[in-house]
Amino acid sequence: MSDDNGSRSARVEDVHELALAMPHVTVEHGSGGNPVYQVGGKSFIFFRNPRPDAVDPETGERYADVIVFWVESEADKQAMVQDEASPFFTTAHFNGHLSVLLRAGRIGELTRNELTELVQDAWLSRASARRAAAWLRMHPSA
């Protein structure tokens, strides 16, 4: 890795790099060619096509840069989306879905370390119990 400074601002490229660094990851492509990162056939991060539920409140334009991250629980989701200053959000379309949304245009509000934790947690939430336990044994500080 050319930049080991985890306190720098996160970038979209980091999402790809971090997701691919997790074990047993495959990449599918959605209808718009958007990457969908999976573990054991289960999505844990995907880049969403513009949809009518995620729009700019001023212009009504659909957001073209939404990234979806799975989370472990509804409590985790609520903790992330309830803070108005947080870059994370959700829409009614995702009610009951254990995921949060993040616009790529706001990813720099996270540090690379925060993004690393988000990606790892997304992977852990979708990996099999055996794979998650093995990964956690190898990364006890995670």
Side-chain angles (χ1 to χ4, degrees):
M1 221 184 305
S2 59
D3 187 340
D4 289 331
N5 183 1
S7 61
R8 71 158 168 78
S9 294
R11 300 187 283 247
V12 173
E13 301 79 48
D14 295 328
V15 176
H16 302 291
E17 178 186 325
L18 293 165
L20 289 170
M22 299 304 291
H24 311 287
V25 170
T26 58
V27 183
E28 299 294 325
H29 292 278
S31 58
N34 51 314
V36 179
Y37 293 95
Q38 298 182 336
V39 57
K42 294 179 177 178
S43 302
F44 68 98
I45 297 171
F46 73 90
F47 287 71
R48 195 168 186 235
N49 292 328
R51 299 292 302 258
D53 66 304
V55 298
D56 183 300
E58 309 270 320
T59 66
E61 291 287 318
R62 293 178 182 188
Y63 292 142
D65 64 344
V66 175
I67 310 168
V68 180
F69 295 86
W70 266 253
V71 295
E72 185 63 36
S73 69
E74 183 65 24
D76 289 344
K77 175 180 182 169
Q78 291 307 317
M80 295 172 80
V81 300
Q82 284 180 338
D83 179 358
E84 288 292 320
S86 166
F88 300 104
F89 69 103
T90 190
T91 69
H93 179 77
F94 286 90
N95 285 350
H97 193 269
L98 295 180
S99 62
V100 295
L101 310 179
L102 173 67
R103 294 194 57 209
R106 293 190 67 183
I107 201 166
E109 294 177 37
L110 303 176
T111 65
R112 190 171 195 288
N113 285 341
E114 290 168 331
L115 181 63
T116 299
E117 184 178 337
L118 180 65
V119 170
Q120 291 171 349
D121 287 350
W123 184 90
L124 286 165
S125 76
R126 303 292 285 168
S128 67
R130 182 180 55 76
R131 286 178 173 167
W135 187 85
L136 287 167
R137 277 194 303 278
M138 299 293 293
H139 304 86
S141 62

